[in-house]
Amino acid sequence: QVQLVESGGGLVQPGGSLRLSCAASRNIFSIDVMGWYRQAPGKQRELVAVITSRGSTNYADSVKGRFTISRDITKNTVFLQMNSLKPEDTDVYYCKAKIIGGLGTHDYWGQGTQVTVSS
């Protein structure tokens, strides 16, 4: 199992930046994939960015060139640096950990953090 705690959300003006943090309760090398997802009311949760245990990354087309996912192994924390924010980036952002084991795949989610982009 793993517990995830997100932080760093808030209100920012269009064009501004925010950095989200996701602290895991275990060594993130033992987590196959960690990622950030976002969800607006009444909509499906969508992938924003992921990073594998090997450090490979992938991004949604809508955030490429603006968002960067990274990690600090010493702190078991994954970050999402969000630059050039747009009003359409307003959502609740969730951290997810995917662990692939002999008994199957398990997904763990954080509680979410609100990001609001507005003037």
Side-chain angles (χ1 to χ4, degrees):
Q1 278 194 340
V2 60
Q3 284 76 48
L4 303 170
V5 179
E6 300 113 330
S7 60
L11 173 64
V12 64
Q13 292 187 341
S17 299
L18 280 176
R19 188 175 83 155
L20 306 183
S21 300
C22 174
S25 61
R26 61 188 276 179
N27 188 329
I28 59 176
F29 268 139
S30 69
I31 299 173
D32 295 277
V33 184
M34 290 193 71
W36 289 95
Y37 291 70
R38 64 188 182 186
Q39 186 173 23
K43 294 187 177 181
Q44 283 194 329
R45 197 168 292 185
E46 63 177 15
L47 180 148
V48 177
V50 294
I51 185 166
T52 71
S53 57
R54 296 185 178 183
S56 298
T57 59
N58 194 29
Y59 297 90
D61 287 343
S62 59
V63 306
K64 282 181 181 176
R66 299 189 298 123
F67 292 10
T68 303
I69 189 169
S70 63
R71 61 185 181 179
D72 185 335
I73 302 299
T74 64
K75 297 180 180 179
N76 293 324
T77 299
V78 173
F79 304 99
L80 184 68
Q81 178 66 44
M82 306 185 293
N83 299 327
S84 301
L85 282 161
K86 305 175 181 180
E88 52 263 43
D89 294 316
T90 296
D91 272 325
V92 178
Y93 285 69
Y94 296 89
C95 180
K96 175 185 170 181
K98 178 186 290 290
I99 299 174
I100 303 171
L103 297 178
T105 298
H106 297 274
D107 292 336
Y108 302 91
W109 293 92
Q111 81 284 358
T113 185
Q114 176 71 47
V115 171
T116 302
V117 184
S118 176
S119 55

